[in-house]
mmCIF file with all atom_site columns, all heavy atoms in Angstrom:
data_model
loop_
_atom_site.group_PDB
_atom_site.id
_atom_site.type_symbol
_atom_site.label_atom_id
_atom_site.label_alt_id
_atom_site.label_comp_id
_atom_site.label_asym_id
_atom_site.label_entity_id
_atom_site.label_seq_id
_atom_site.pdbx_PDB_ins_code
_atom_site.Cartn_x
_atom_site.Cartn_y
_atom_site.Cartn_z
_atom_site.occupancy
_atom_site.B_iso_or_equiv
_atom_site.pdbx_formal_charge
_atom_site.auth_seq_id
_atom_site.auth_comp_id
_atom_site.auth_asym_id
_atom_site.auth_atom_id
_atom_site.pdbx_PDB_model_num
ATOM 1   N N   . TYR R 1 47  ? 8.587   -3.600  10.223  1.00 98.00 ? 52  TYR R N   1
ATOM 2   C CA  . TYR R 1 47  ? 7.561   -2.979  9.325   1.00 98.00 ? 52  TYR R CA  1
ATOM 3   C C   . TYR R 1 47  ? 6.205   -3.138  10.027  1.00 98.00 ? 52  TYR R C   1
ATOM 4   O O   . TYR R 1 47  ? 5.184   -2.529  9.501   1.00 98.00 ? 52  TYR R O   1
ATOM 5   C CB  . TYR R 1 47  ? 7.526   -3.591  7.981   1.00 98.00 ? 52  TYR R CB  1
ATOM 6   C CG  . TYR R 1 47  ? 7.212   -5.066  7.919   1.00 98.00 ? 52  TYR R CG  1
ATOM 7   C CD1 . TYR R 1 47  ? 5.860   -5.561  7.920   1.00 98.00 ? 52  TYR R CD1 1
ATOM 8   C CD2 . TYR R 1 47  ? 8.229   -5.974  7.808   1.00 98.00 ? 52  TYR R CD2 1
ATOM 9   C CE1 . TYR R 1 47  ? 5.538   -6.825  7.839   1.00 98.00 ? 52  TYR R CE1 1
ATOM 10  C CE2 . TYR R 1 47  ? 7.927   -7.393  7.706   1.00 98.00 ? 52  TYR R CE2 1
ATOM 11  C CZ  . TYR R 1 47  ? 6.612   -7.762  7.746   1.00 98.00 ? 52  TYR R CZ  1
ATOM 12  O OH  . TYR R 1 47  ? 6.217   -9.151  7.679   1.00 98.00 ? 52  TYR R OH  1
ATOM 13  N N   . PRO R 1 112 ? -4.830  -7.899  23.430  1.00 98.00 ? 117 PRO R N   1
ATOM 14  C CA  . PRO R 1 112 ? -5.239  -8.847  22.431  1.00 98.00 ? 117 PRO R CA  1
ATOM 15  C C   . PRO R 1 112 ? -5.899  -8.199  21.204  1.00 98.00 ? 117 PRO R C   1
ATOM 16  O O   . PRO R 1 112 ? -6.802  -7.383  21.384  1.00 98.00 ? 117 PRO R O   1
ATOM 17  C CB  . PRO R 1 112 ? -6.248  -9.755  23.107  1.00 98.00 ? 117 PRO R CB  1
ATOM 18  C CG  . PRO R 1 112 ? -6.721  -8.894  24.243  1.00 98.00 ? 117 PRO R CG  1
ATOM 19  C CD  . PRO R 1 112 ? -5.611  -8.029  24.675  1.00 98.00 ? 117 PRO R CD  1
ATOM 20  N N   . GLY R 1 170 ? -23.111 -29.468 9.219   1.00 94.00 ? 175 GLY R N   1
ATOM 21  C CA  . GLY R 1 170 ? -22.365 -29.942 8.063   1.00 94.00 ? 175 GLY R CA  1
ATOM 22  C C   . GLY R 1 170 ? -20.942 -30.279 8.208   1.00 94.00 ? 175 GLY R C   1
ATOM 23  O O   . GLY R 1 170 ? -20.280 -30.645 7.246   1.00 94.00 ? 175 GLY R O   1
ATOM 24  N N   . CYS R 1 237 ? -11.900 -31.530 -1.405  1.00 98.00 ? 242 CYS R N   1
ATOM 25  C CA  . CYS R 1 237 ? -10.534 -31.000 -1.221  1.00 98.00 ? 242 CYS R CA  1
ATOM 26  C C   . CYS R 1 237 ? -9.898  -31.245 0.149   1.00 98.00 ? 242 CYS R C   1
ATOM 27  O O   . CYS R 1 237 ? -8.727  -31.645 0.160   1.00 98.00 ? 242 CYS R O   1
ATOM 28  C CB  . CYS R 1 237 ? -10.598 -29.397 -1.352  1.00 98.00 ? 242 CYS R CB  1
ATOM 29  S SG  . CYS R 1 237 ? -10.996 -28.836 -3.056  1.00 98.00 ? 242 CYS R SG  1
ATOM 30  N N   . ARG R 1 240 ? -8.459  -34.645 0.222   1.00 98.00 ? 245 ARG R N   1
ATOM 31  C CA  . ARG R 1 240 ? -7.330  -34.939 -0.661  1.00 98.00 ? 245 ARG R CA  1
ATOM 32  C C   . ARG R 1 240 ? -6.109  -34.164 -0.445  1.00 98.00 ? 245 ARG R C   1
ATOM 33  O O   . ARG R 1 240 ? -5.015  -34.254 -1.058  1.00 98.00 ? 245 ARG R O   1
ATOM 34  C CB  . ARG R 1 240 ? -7.900  -34.697 -2.151  1.00 98.00 ? 245 ARG R CB  1
ATOM 35  C CG  . ARG R 1 240 ? -8.860  -35.689 -2.664  1.00 98.00 ? 245 ARG R CG  1
ATOM 36  C CD  . ARG R 1 240 ? -9.112  -35.516 -4.162  1.00 98.00 ? 245 ARG R CD  1
ATOM 37  N NE  . ARG R 1 240 ? -9.341  -34.147 -4.617  1.00 98.00 ? 245 ARG R NE  1
ATOM 38  C CZ  . ARG R 1 240 ? -10.544 -33.636 -4.648  1.00 98.00 ? 245 ARG R CZ  1
ATOM 39  N NH1 . ARG R 1 240 ? -11.668 -34.217 -4.406  1.00 98.00 ? 245 ARG R NH1 1
ATOM 40  N NH2 . ARG R 1 240 ? -10.652 -32.378 -5.110  1.00 98.00 ? 245 ARG R NH2 1
ATOM 41  N N   . GLU R 1 363 ? 9.406   -21.128 -9.446  1.00 98.00 ? 368 GLU R N   1
ATOM 42  C CA  . GLU R 1 363 ? 10.658  -21.114 -10.189 1.00 98.00 ? 368 GLU R CA  1
ATOM 43  C C   . GLU R 1 363 ? 11.857  -20.803 -9.281  1.00 98.00 ? 368 GLU R C   1
ATOM 44  O O   . GLU R 1 363 ? 12.975  -20.895 -9.692  1.00 98.00 ? 368 GLU R O   1
ATOM 45  C CB  . GLU R 1 363 ? 10.529  -20.036 -11.306 1.00 98.00 ? 368 GLU R CB  1
ATOM 46  C CG  . GLU R 1 363 ? 9.628   -20.478 -12.440 1.00 98.00 ? 368 GLU R CG  1
ATOM 47  C CD  . GLU R 1 363 ? 8.151   -20.238 -12.100 1.00 98.00 ? 368 GLU R CD  1
ATOM 48  O OE1 . GLU R 1 363 ? 7.935   -19.572 -11.126 1.00 98.00 ? 368 GLU R OE1 1
ATOM 49  O OE2 . GLU R 1 363 ? 7.306   -20.701 -12.860 1.00 98.00 ? 368 GLU R OE2 1
ATOM 50  N N   . LYS R 1 365 ? 12.353  -17.829 -7.595  1.00 98.00 ? 370 LYS R N   1
ATOM 51  C CA  . LYS R 1 365 ? 12.546  -16.414 -7.426  1.00 98.00 ? 370 LYS R CA  1
ATOM 52  C C   . LYS R 1 365 ? 11.920  -15.916 -6.183  1.00 98.00 ? 370 LYS R C   1
ATOM 53  O O   . LYS R 1 365 ? 10.840  -16.354 -5.574  1.00 98.00 ? 370 LYS R O   1
ATOM 54  C CB  . LYS R 1 365 ? 11.825  -15.624 -8.652  1.00 98.00 ? 370 LYS R CB  1
ATOM 55  C CG  . LYS R 1 365 ? 12.637  -15.509 -9.785  1.00 98.00 ? 370 LYS R CG  1
ATOM 56  C CD  . LYS R 1 365 ? 11.946  -14.821 -11.016 1.00 98.00 ? 370 LYS R CD  1
ATOM 57  C CE  . LYS R 1 365 ? 11.475  -13.492 -10.616 1.00 98.00 ? 370 LYS R CE  1
ATOM 58  N NZ  . LYS R 1 365 ? 10.777  -12.808 -11.778 1.00 98.00 ? 370 LYS R NZ  1
ATOM 59  N N   . TYR P 1 47  ? -14.791 -30.694 -8.629  1.00 98.00 ? 49  TYR P N   1
ATOM 60  C CA  . TYR P 1 47  ? -13.702 -31.320 -7.730  1.00 98.00 ? 49  TYR P CA  1
ATOM 61  C C   . TYR P 1 47  ? -14.107 -31.226 -6.309  1.00 98.00 ? 49  TYR P C   1
ATOM 62  O O   . TYR P 1 47  ? -13.465 -31.707 -5.437  1.00 98.00 ? 49  TYR P O   1
ATOM 63  C CB  . TYR P 1 47  ? -12.360 -30.745 -8.016  1.00 98.00 ? 49  TYR P CB  1
ATOM 64  C CG  . TYR P 1 47  ? -12.248 -29.285 -7.741  1.00 98.00 ? 49  TYR P CG  1
ATOM 65  C CD1 . TYR P 1 47  ? -11.935 -28.801 -6.445  1.00 98.00 ? 49  TYR P CD1 1
ATOM 66  C CD2 . TYR P 1 47  ? -12.359 -28.348 -8.743  1.00 98.00 ? 49  TYR P CD2 1
ATOM 67  C CE1 . TYR P 1 47  ? -11.850 -27.453 -6.187  1.00 98.00 ? 49  TYR P CE1 1
ATOM 68  C CE2 . TYR P 1 47  ? -12.242 -26.934 -8.513  1.00 98.00 ? 49  TYR P CE2 1
ATOM 69  C CZ  . TYR P 1 47  ? -11.946 -26.538 -7.231  1.00 98.00 ? 49  TYR P CZ  1
ATOM 70  O OH  . TYR P 1 47  ? -11.859 -25.197 -6.881  1.00 98.00 ? 49  TYR P OH  1
ATOM 71  N N   . ASP P 1 48  ? -15.255 -30.508 -6.026  1.00 98.00 ? 50  ASP P N   1
ATOM 72  C CA  . ASP P 1 48  ? -15.674 -30.568 -4.638  1.00 98.00 ? 50  ASP P CA  1
ATOM 73  C C   . ASP P 1 48  ? -17.169 -30.043 -4.699  1.00 98.00 ? 50  ASP P C   1
ATOM 74  O O   . ASP P 1 48  ? -17.555 -29.277 -5.504  1.00 98.00 ? 50  ASP P O   1
ATOM 75  C CB  . ASP P 1 48  ? -14.885 -29.523 -3.797  1.00 98.00 ? 50  ASP P CB  1
ATOM 76  C CG  . ASP P 1 48  ? -15.034 -29.823 -2.283  1.00 98.00 ? 50  ASP P CG  1
ATOM 77  O OD1 . ASP P 1 48  ? -16.062 -30.211 -1.815  1.00 98.00 ? 50  ASP P OD1 1
ATOM 78  O OD2 . ASP P 1 48  ? -13.995 -29.603 -1.550  1.00 98.00 ? 50  ASP P OD2 1
ATOM 79  N N   . PRO P 1 112 ? -24.852 -26.396 7.332   1.00 98.00 ? 114 PRO P N   1
ATOM 80  C CA  . PRO P 1 112 ? -23.734 -25.423 7.540   1.00 98.00 ? 114 PRO P CA  1
ATOM 81  C C   . PRO P 1 112 ? -22.473 -26.061 7.906   1.00 98.00 ? 114 PRO P C   1
ATOM 82  O O   . PRO P 1 112 ? -22.383 -26.992 8.770   1.00 98.00 ? 114 PRO P O   1
ATOM 83  C CB  . PRO P 1 112 ? -24.259 -24.503 8.655   1.00 98.00 ? 114 PRO P CB  1
ATOM 84  C CG  . PRO P 1 112 ? -25.248 -25.312 9.348   1.00 98.00 ? 114 PRO P CG  1
ATOM 85  C CD  . PRO P 1 112 ? -25.885 -26.243 8.423   1.00 98.00 ? 114 PRO P CD  1
ATOM 86  N N   . GLY P 1 170 ? -7.109  -4.732  22.139  1.00 94.00 ? 172 GLY P N   1
ATOM 87  C CA  . GLY P 1 170 ? -6.095  -4.263  21.196  1.00 94.00 ? 172 GLY P CA  1
ATOM 88  C C   . GLY P 1 170 ? -6.483  -3.967  19.847  1.00 94.00 ? 172 GLY P C   1
ATOM 89  O O   . GLY P 1 170 ? -5.764  -3.693  18.844  1.00 94.00 ? 172 GLY P O   1
ATOM 90  N N   . ARG P 1 240 ? -1.311  0.296   5.904   1.00 98.00 ? 242 ARG P N   1
ATOM 91  C CA  . ARG P 1 240 ? -0.654  0.624   4.634   1.00 98.00 ? 242 ARG P CA  1
ATOM 92  C C   . ARG P 1 240 ? -1.214  -0.160  3.377   1.00 98.00 ? 242 ARG P C   1
ATOM 93  O O   . ARG P 1 240 ? -0.802  -0.009  2.325   1.00 98.00 ? 242 ARG P O   1
ATOM 94  C CB  . ARG P 1 240 ? 0.791   0.413   4.759   1.00 98.00 ? 242 ARG P CB  1
ATOM 95  C CG  . ARG P 1 240 ? 1.533   1.339   5.648   1.00 98.00 ? 242 ARG P CG  1
ATOM 96  C CD  . ARG P 1 240 ? 3.101   1.208   5.613   1.00 98.00 ? 242 ARG P CD  1
ATOM 97  N NE  . ARG P 1 240 ? 3.508   -0.173  5.725   1.00 98.00 ? 242 ARG P NE  1
ATOM 98  C CZ  . ARG P 1 240 ? 3.927   -0.698  6.880   1.00 98.00 ? 242 ARG P CZ  1
ATOM 99  N NH1 . ARG P 1 240 ? 3.768   -0.123  8.026   1.00 98.00 ? 242 ARG P NH1 1
ATOM 100 N NH2 . ARG P 1 240 ? 4.277   -1.974  6.979   1.00 98.00 ? 242 ARG P NH2 1
ATOM 101 N N   . GLU P 1 363 ? 4.303   -13.231 -13.573 1.00 98.00 ? 365 GLU P N   1
ATOM 102 C CA  . GLU P 1 363 ? 4.625   -13.252 -15.020 1.00 98.00 ? 365 GLU P CA  1
ATOM 103 C C   . GLU P 1 363 ? 3.539   -13.558 -15.977 1.00 98.00 ? 365 GLU P C   1
ATOM 104 O O   . GLU P 1 363 ? 3.726   -13.516 -17.145 1.00 98.00 ? 365 GLU P O   1
ATOM 105 C CB  . GLU P 1 363 ? 5.833   -14.276 -15.143 1.00 98.00 ? 365 GLU P CB  1
ATOM 106 C CG  . GLU P 1 363 ? 7.147   -13.893 -14.511 1.00 98.00 ? 365 GLU P CG  1
ATOM 107 C CD  . GLU P 1 363 ? 7.051   -14.018 -13.015 1.00 98.00 ? 365 GLU P CD  1
ATOM 108 O OE1 . GLU P 1 363 ? 6.312   -14.872 -12.540 1.00 98.00 ? 365 GLU P OE1 1
ATOM 109 O OE2 . GLU P 1 363 ? 8.037   -13.695 -12.299 1.00 98.00 ? 365 GLU P OE2 1
ATOM 110 N N   . LYS P 1 365 ? 1.789   -16.548 -15.964 1.00 98.00 ? 367 LYS P N   1
ATOM 111 C CA  . LYS P 1 365 ? 1.622   -17.971 -16.223 1.00 98.00 ? 367 LYS P CA  1
ATOM 112 C C   . LYS P 1 365 ? 0.424   -18.438 -15.322 1.00 98.00 ? 367 LYS P C   1
ATOM 113 O O   . LYS P 1 365 ? 0.262   -18.057 -14.265 1.00 98.00 ? 367 LYS P O   1
ATOM 114 C CB  . LYS P 1 365 ? 2.869   -18.751 -15.809 1.00 98.00 ? 367 LYS P CB  1
ATOM 115 C CG  . LYS P 1 365 ? 3.920   -18.903 -16.986 1.00 98.00 ? 367 LYS P CG  1
ATOM 116 C CD  . LYS P 1 365 ? 5.180   -19.556 -16.427 1.00 98.00 ? 367 LYS P CD  1
ATOM 117 C CE  . LYS P 1 365 ? 4.989   -20.943 -15.816 1.00 98.00 ? 367 LYS P CE  1
ATOM 118 N NZ  . LYS P 1 365 ? 6.248   -21.533 -15.296 1.00 98.00 ? 367 LYS P NZ  1
#
Side-chain angles (χ1 to χ4, degrees):
Chain R
Y52 63 83
C242 290
R245 295 193 306 271
E368 292 77 13
K370 274 175 55 181
Chain P
Y49 64 82
D50 202 324
R242 294 191 307 269
E365 291 79 11
K367 275 175 58 181

